Each structure stands twice: as C-alpha cells, then as structure tokens.
Amino acid sequence: MTATDTHRAIDAVWRIESARLIAGLTRIVGDVGVAEDLAQDALVAALERWPESGIPDKPGAWLMATAKHRAFDLLRRDKMLDRKHAEVGHELEARQEMAVPDLDAALDDQVGDDLLRLVFISCHPVLSREARVALTLRLLGGLTTEEIARAFLVPEPTIAQRIVRAKRTLAEAHVPFEVPRGDELAARLSSVLEVLYLVFNEGYSATAGDDWMRPQLCGEALRLGRILAELAAEEPEVHGLVALMEIQASRSRARVGPKGEPILLLDQDRGRWDQLLIRRGLAALARAAAMGGEQGPYALQAAIAACHARARTASETDWVQIAGLYDDLVELMPSPVVELNRAMAIAMAFGPAAGIELVDALASEPVLKNYHLLPSVRGDLLSKLGRLDEARTEFERAASLTRNERERALLLERASHCEGAERPKQSS
C-alpha cells in the first residue's frame, strides 16, 4: 500500500471513529476542546506511524488506545489544572483520582451514551445556531474546517473562529457532559433536531453558490440522524426527522439534470427515486406513529413527503391530504413560510385561484419581504391562471432575490416562457 493509500485509509477511519473517540475522551477529561486535541494527537501519531508499520487490524482501537494513554498522561501530570479556573481544577483533580485507575474501562464502556452526550453538548442552546452547526459537523461529522467552510460558502477563518469560540463557550459555561432529563431534555432535543434539519436543508437546496444541491451535507445530516434515532429511540420526533430526511434524500438523483440544472418535483422522473430510502423513510414514520400522541412538526412534514413518495405519478398525488397535513402543521408551527407552502398545496388541491388568494394575503408579511419563494410561488400560480405578464414579473423578482445560481437560471427560464407563451383559451 502506498503512502497516499495509507493516508486515504486514515482519513476514512477518522471519519468513522472520531466522534466515538472524542465522546469517550470528553467523559474522562471533562472538556470537549481538550478531548478533540487528544483525538487529533492520536490522528497525528497514526499519520506518522502507519505509513511505515502498516494499518492495524483494528485501527479504531489503536486510535482509542493512543488517545487514552495521552489522556492518562495529561491527567497524571495535572495539566488540566493549568487550563481551568481553580474551582474547576479541584473538580478535575478529584475526577482524576477516580478516573485514572479505571481509565481503560471508562473509555470502553457506554459508547452509545457518550455519543448521545456529545450530540447534546455540540447542539447546546448556549451556542449560536451557526456555532452549533459548525461544531456538530466538526465533532460528530468528522468534517474538516475547510470542508465545512466550503459547504456553507463561508470563509475558512470564520468557521475556525466559530468552532474555537463554541468550545470556549461550553468550557466557560461549565456545560456538563450528560444527557439532560425531564423538561430540559425536550428543550435540548429540539435544538439537536434543528441543527440536523438545518444541515440537511442546506444540502438539499443550497441557499447560495453554483450548485443546486450539496450532497455531502445531506449525507452527514442523515447519518447523524440515524445514529440519534438509535441513541434516543423513544423520542418520536427523532424518527419523524429521520423519516423526512430519508424520503427527501430519495429524490436526490432526480432533482438534478445532466448539466446540474434543477428539476422541480412534478417534473422529476420518479423511476430515479431511491426506493430503498423511501422504504426506510416510511418505516421510520411508522415507528414514530406507533409511539402514539400527536404528530410533531418533523413527523408532519415527513407525512407530507410520504404522500409524494407513494404517488407513482405526479397526477396521482393526494393533494387534498397534503393540504390537510399543512393545516395541521400551521396550527402546530404557525409561520408565514409554512403558510406559503400550505397555499401551494391548496392551489394544487382546489385550483390556482384558491391558492393565489392565500399567497396575496401573505405579501405584507415582513419575514417574506426578501424571501424569493414568495414571488416564485406567486409566479407559478399566476401562470396557471393565464396572467402571464404578471407571472413573468414575479419570476424575475424571485430570480433577483435568490443567491443560488442554478435556481436563478431556472427562474429566469420560467420568466422567458411566460413572455413567449400563448395564453390559454378560457372555457365558456
């Protein structure tokens, strides 16, 4: 195996093992930043030794053992006391006396619990939304700072600063490495699910840049969601979010044309939808429903996605059911964006005139003032009503608001079709 092949193998091992490694170390040293440093030290050691010695039979165990010894040395020399306030130093000194004799067992047990704790600490509400996303992708996704920056079209130093500040904030706030309980669990879980939802959506429909989709982000969000669904198996909304991501991801191949151009839902070749992902999504949705109680916002959105997934053709879509599900979603999670989606569903179920009335009522919403999908939806409904000049204006306005180049090209193309299209004859 060449040195290049070895480095590629190390990268793959790191992507798989890093979260488990950092989680176990965080439980021992009590600081996620220090734990990541120790894990990175183990990675450096692998990069130095494996090209000569070869990749171990159990590379993950090798990394854990190496990091474990470094953690042992760190604790034994009391280096943690130099990094902490005096009160925290005393706490860690006591923890050292308890943890060091049984360090091997402490790191090897409760891997699932440790990963769940790492999920909750990475998505802690004390951090900003942007910091939660960056830290989650770094610690749990194993992405480099460069990869995160590229995925979100943000300068690499900006992402680096977010991660550094996030780890510092967690340390200064003395955030415990534990799974919250009771009411706090529900509040913290919503933060975790929001981060995964944001990451997936950014991958599914990129807000800016030259690409319509960023598959890596979709893949990371889905991978982390599946892990969370096993670690928090009794939480129905976790399964609801996984169901939503599975079903949405099933359309990925059909959403992009040969030149990278977007293909809208009703125009997609459903034969290209991934049936395995659809089955997994429907199973996750059924798992959430089996737990009883009212459906949460993610389960409701998954139910909407399931309506599309079950329809063999676009014409077979049960838009009346989708409109009803949006009624429930608006009641549970009222927002102008959800109302806009509901208006489109009603238009599909009961005709464009019913939908345009609802869309026009949303025009004064401050949240939607610069939201490109408002004029996009309005343009679509106006074109179906034969009001093509108005539709063209709306599509052009939507194109001016979006920051995604692929979407802008699609909207301008739709505007040009309105300009040259013949108005449909009105039935008598």
Side-chain angles (χ1 to χ4, degrees), residues 4 10 57 75 91 109 113 116 123 139 162 185 204 239 268 292 304 355 358 361 373 403:
T4 300
I10 293 171
D57 292 337
L75 289 168
E91 176 188 343
D109 291 343
D113 288 346
L116 187 58
C123 302
L139 298 184
R162 286 178 187 172
L185 174 61
Y204 192 71
H239 301 295
Q268 290 171 15
I304 292 168
L358 296 174
L373 290 182
R403 294 187 294 133

Side-chain angles (χ1 to χ4, degrees), residues 137-339:
L137 290 175
R138 176 64 174 269
L139 298 184
L140 290 158
L143 273 65
T144 65
T145 304
E146 180 185 2
E147 288 173 324
I148 300 169
R150 188 167 61 245
F152 285 93
L153 301 182
V154 175
E156 188 174 344
T158 301
I159 293 296
Q161 289 174 3
R162 286 178 187 172
I163 292 172
V164 169
R165 289 171 183 166
K167 290 187 287 190
R168 184 187 307 133
T169 298
L170 292 173
E172 292 175 350
H174 306 320
V175 174
F177 187 61
E178 64 184 16
V179 176
R181 306 295 178 190
D183 293 341
E184 188 183 357
L185 174 61
R188 292 273 296 280
L189 183 62
S190 66
S191 175
V192 172
L193 297 180
E194 181 192 27
V195 167
L196 297 184
Y197 185 64
L198 286 170
V199 172
F200 182 86
N201 279 348
E202 182 59 32
Y204 192 71
S205 295
T207 55
D210 297 330
D211 297 318
W212 175 237
M213 294 183 64
R214 299 193 183 116
Q216 182 183 33
L217 289 181
C218 289
E220 286 300 327
L222 189 49
R223 184 178 70 84
L224 294 175
R226 289 169 180 163
I227 292 172
L228 184 60
E230 295 307 314
L231 298 177
E234 302 304 316
E235 299 294 334
E237 269 292 77
V238 174
H239 301 295
L241 178 57
V242 171
L244 174 61
M245 294 191 293
E246 298 274 15
I247 297 172
Q248 296 286 72
S250 74
R251 306 178 201 147
S252 295
R253 287 180 300 182
R255 293 186 74 237
V256 181
K259 297 180 180 179
E261 69 276 15
I263 301 177
L264 299 178
L265 176 61
L266 299 183
D267 299 324
Q268 290 171 15
D269 176 2
R270 300 190 176 211
R272 301 192 68 201
W273 288 3
D274 189 321
Q275 294 302 312
L276 175 60
L277 290 178
I278 289 175
R279 288 195 296 273
R280 294 180 69 157
L282 295 177
L285 185 59
R287 193 174 178 183
M291 295 180 182
E294 295 184 359
Q295 288 181 300
Y298 296 115
L300 281 172
Q301 290 177 79
I304 292 168
C307 289
H308 294 294
R310 292 188 181 107
R312 291 175 300 176
T313 64
S315 61
E316 294 179 29
T317 306
D318 189 345
W319 285 104
V320 173
Q321 183 182 1
I322 292 174
L325 288 168
Y326 269 117
D327 287 341
D328 295 338
L329 188 60
V330 165
E331 190 172 330
L332 183 64
M333 192 176 67
S335 83
V337 173
V338 177
E339 290 275 11

Side-chain angles (χ1 to χ4, degrees), residues 374-376 378-379 382 389-399:
L374 176 62
S376 176
R378 192 165 188 274
L382 287 169
D389 288 340
E390 294 174 80
R392 185 187 71 249
T393 300
E394 291 298 305
F395 284 133
E396 289 173 346
R397 171 168 162 71

Side-chain angles (χ1 to χ4, degrees), residues 338-358:
V338 177
E339 290 275 11
L340 181 62
N341 290 329
R342 172 177 171 268
M344 192 63 185
I346 287 175
M348 296 299 296
F350 305 110
I356 196 71
E357 183 178 347
L358 296 174

Side-chain angles (χ1 to χ4, degrees), residues 38-211:
L38 289 166
Q40 290 284 349
D41 287 345
L43 175 63
V44 170
L47 290 169
E48 292 173 349
R49 299 179 192 175
W50 290 4
E52 295 183 2
S53 64
I55 299 175
D57 292 337
K58 297 181 179 180
W62 190 97
L63 287 171
M64 180 67 85
T66 301
K68 194 186 303 182
H69 290 311
R70 292 176 187 271
F72 179 90
D73 291 341
L74 185 63
L75 289 168
R76 187 173 56 188
R77 294 195 306 264
D78 289 334
K79 284 189 175 180
M80 291 291 289
L81 298 179
D82 296 332
R83 290 172 172 258
K84 293 290 187 179
H85 298 299
E87 56 186 23
V88 181
H90 293 312
E91 176 188 343
L92 289 173
E93 190 175 34
R95 183 184 300 165
Q96 175 187 345
E97 293 175 0
M98 293 184 294
V100 168
D102 199 24
L103 187 60
D104 288 352
L107 274 169
D108 292 336
D109 291 343
Q110 300 177 321
V111 170
D113 288 346
D114 283 346
L115 279 173
L116 187 58
R117 293 184 185 106
L118 188 61
V119 169
F120 277 101
I121 203 171
S122 299
C123 302
H124 198 286
V126 73
L127 304 175
S128 69
R129 176 184 291 180
E130 294 80 7
R132 277 179 264 161
V133 168
L135 192 62
T136 298
L137 290 175
R138 176 64 174 269
L139 298 184
L140 290 158
L143 273 65
T144 65
T145 304
E146 180 185 2
E147 288 173 324
I148 300 169
R150 188 167 61 245
F152 285 93
L153 301 182
V154 175
E156 188 174 344
T158 301
I159 293 296
Q161 289 174 3
R162 286 178 187 172
I163 292 172
V164 169
R165 289 171 183 166
K167 290 187 287 190
R168 184 187 307 133
T169 298
L170 292 173
E172 292 175 350
H174 306 320
V175 174
F177 187 61
E178 64 184 16
V179 176
R181 306 295 178 190
D183 293 341
E184 188 183 357
L185 174 61
R188 292 273 296 280
L189 183 62
S190 66
S191 175
V192 172
L193 297 180
E194 181 192 27
V195 167
L196 297 184
Y197 185 64
L198 286 170
V199 172
F200 182 86
N201 279 348
E202 182 59 32
Y204 192 71
S205 295
T207 55
D210 297 330
D211 297 318

